[in-house]
Amino acid sequence: MSFAPHVRIVEVGPRDGLQNEKTIVPVDVKVALIEALADAGLTSIEVGSFVSPKWVPQMADSAEVLARIRNRAGVRYTVLTPNLEGFDRALACNVQEVALFASASQSFSQRNINCSIEDSLARFVPIMDKARHHKVRVRGYVSCVLGCPYEGEVPAVAVARVASRLFEMGCYEISLGDTIGIGTPTKARSLIERVAADVPMDRLALHFHDTYGQALANIYACLELGVSVIDSAVAGLGGCPYAAGASGNVATEDVVYMLEGMGVKTGIDLSLLGLAGQVISRHLQRMPASKVSRALMARGL
Ligand code: HMG
Ligand code: MG
């Protein structure tokens, strides 16, 4: 067992969470959420995406969101860009970091970005060139790493293939998405072992949705292997518009509580984080999905 002494949390709630809301959350509310997350100590925050507004109208205001959030030393704001058109729109907003997203499953790739895995990787090459030229950092995602809503089982070797292609292309970190939250700890661990044979462990991130309530257990199993980056969404916001039934990402409050309780540092203030989650949950007229947040609320915190 070799837990990393410090884990970096990548907060994806403002993007992965809000992209799946039925109603479009106003820019003011998004900006207030992002500021509250930064106040709580989050240093990596995914704030939107430059995808087709016809496909995901919830993210159509990402340029406005970027224009309104305050630049802070040491805080990185990232946006998703599926193609050169999206990258150019992001570049016009002076972004410093973008994320590309590919899938380990052919059917999901087709439904999510309307092209094959191979075509998506080919689209990324000119983005990488331009990003290098403009000194924009690029993160890479692989979806469906523990199962696909259309194809079922996805072999670990297929995940490793896409992950290593993204890494070789120049993505500084590869985030492995259990898009439909279907994995279990032993499967998650074997997957990480297989992918880490091709991409260094310290360049891997976990992006686990919590549909089947396994995310925290899966994260723990992978932490034992030395993983040090975890994606999560405040209040457990989220899902994926192209994966029916997929629920939110693992809640940031739950991950932070677990890690700090184990002596692993995150740099995040749990009570400020809980407040950020409560405010957005109130706006969405529901309770936070985070159990930790509910426990804090029950104690009046
Ligand atoms: P397409 O229809 O094949 O695109 O969509 P196209 O190139 O044929 O263009 C069609 C129209 O879209 C054109 O406009 C383009 O200008 C426009 P028209 O001439 O008809 O007026 N267009 C764009 N507009 C704005 N921004 C752009 C853009 N590109 C084209 N970037 C496309 C292809 C990739 C655009 C579409 O499929 C798309 O937007 N998909 C995004 C889906 C998405 O956002 N999914 C959720 C994020 S991924 C996720 O949640 C998984 C993750 O969390 C990890 C995990 O959990 O596994 C990351
Ligand atoms: Mg996701």
mmCIF file of all heavy atoms in Angstrom, residues 15-16 207 209 239 249, ligand 2:
data_model
loop_
_atom_site.group_PDB
_atom_site.id
_atom_site.type_symbol
_atom_site.label_atom_id
_atom_site.label_comp_id
_atom_site.label_asym_id
_atom_site.label_seq_id
_atom_site.Cartn_x
_atom_site.Cartn_y
_atom_site.Cartn_z
ATOM 1 N N ARG A 15 -19.177 21.878 -14.758
ATOM 2 C CA ARG A 15 -19.295 21.371 -16.134
ATOM 3 C C ARG A 15 -20.072 20.044 -16.152
ATOM 4 O O ARG A 15 -21.207 19.984 -16.616
ATOM 5 C CB ARG A 15 -17.888 21.203 -16.742
ATOM 6 C CG ARG A 15 -17.897 20.960 -18.245
ATOM 7 C CD ARG A 15 -18.194 19.527 -18.662
ATOM 8 N NE ARG A 15 -17.275 18.540 -18.089
ATOM 9 C CZ ARG A 15 -17.443 17.242 -18.232
ATOM 10 N NH1 ARG A 15 -18.476 16.760 -18.900
ATOM 11 N NH2 ARG A 15 -16.600 16.381 -17.662
ATOM 12 N N ASP A 16 -19.485 18.995 -15.594
ATOM 13 C CA ASP A 16 -20.115 17.680 -15.706
ATOM 14 C C ASP A 16 -21.457 17.668 -14.983
ATOM 15 O O ASP A 16 -22.423 17.046 -15.433
ATOM 16 C CB ASP A 16 -19.178 16.618 -15.098
ATOM 17 C CG ASP A 16 -19.401 15.243 -15.690
ATOM 18 O OD1 ASP A 16 -20.471 15.010 -16.273
ATOM 19 O OD2 ASP A 16 -18.511 14.382 -15.560
ATOM 20 N N HIS A 207 -12.071 9.442 -12.659
ATOM 21 C CA HIS A 207 -13.278 10.260 -12.890
ATOM 22 C C HIS A 207 -14.460 9.294 -12.797
ATOM 23 O O HIS A 207 -14.928 8.758 -13.791
ATOM 24 C CB HIS A 207 -13.174 10.896 -14.278
ATOM 25 C CG HIS A 207 -14.345 11.743 -14.671
ATOM 26 N ND1 HIS A 207 -14.340 13.120 -14.653
ATOM 27 C CD2 HIS A 207 -15.576 11.408 -15.116
ATOM 28 C CE1 HIS A 207 -15.494 13.582 -15.078
ATOM 29 N NE2 HIS A 207 -16.274 12.565 -15.362
ATOM 30 N N HIS A 209 -18.225 8.219 -11.850
ATOM 31 C CA HIS A 209 -19.617 8.568 -11.542
ATOM 32 C C HIS A 209 -20.115 7.562 -10.507
ATOM 33 O O HIS A 209 -19.563 6.469 -10.367
ATOM 34 C CB HIS A 209 -20.452 8.560 -12.828
ATOM 35 C CG HIS A 209 -20.167 9.752 -13.697
ATOM 36 N ND1 HIS A 209 -20.998 10.850 -13.744
ATOM 37 C CD2 HIS A 209 -19.115 10.040 -14.509
ATOM 38 C CE1 HIS A 209 -20.472 11.752 -14.570
ATOM 39 N NE2 HIS A 209 -19.336 11.286 -15.050
ATOM 40 N N GLY A 239 -23.975 13.905 -14.317
ATOM 41 C CA GLY A 239 -24.415 12.788 -15.132
ATOM 42 C C GLY A 239 -23.800 12.948 -16.490
ATOM 43 O O GLY A 239 -22.776 13.594 -16.620
ATOM 44 N N ASN A 249 -21.209 12.628 -10.613
ATOM 45 C CA ASN A 249 -19.862 12.215 -10.206
ATOM 46 C C ASN A 249 -19.881 11.962 -8.705
ATOM 47 O O ASN A 249 -20.749 12.458 -8.004
ATOM 48 C CB ASN A 249 -18.863 13.349 -10.460
ATOM 49 C CG ASN A 249 -18.686 13.648 -11.929
ATOM 50 O OD1 ASN A 249 -19.461 14.388 -12.501
ATOM 51 N ND2 ASN A 249 -17.690 13.063 -12.533
HETATM 52 MG MG MG B 2 -18.171 12.600 -16.521
#
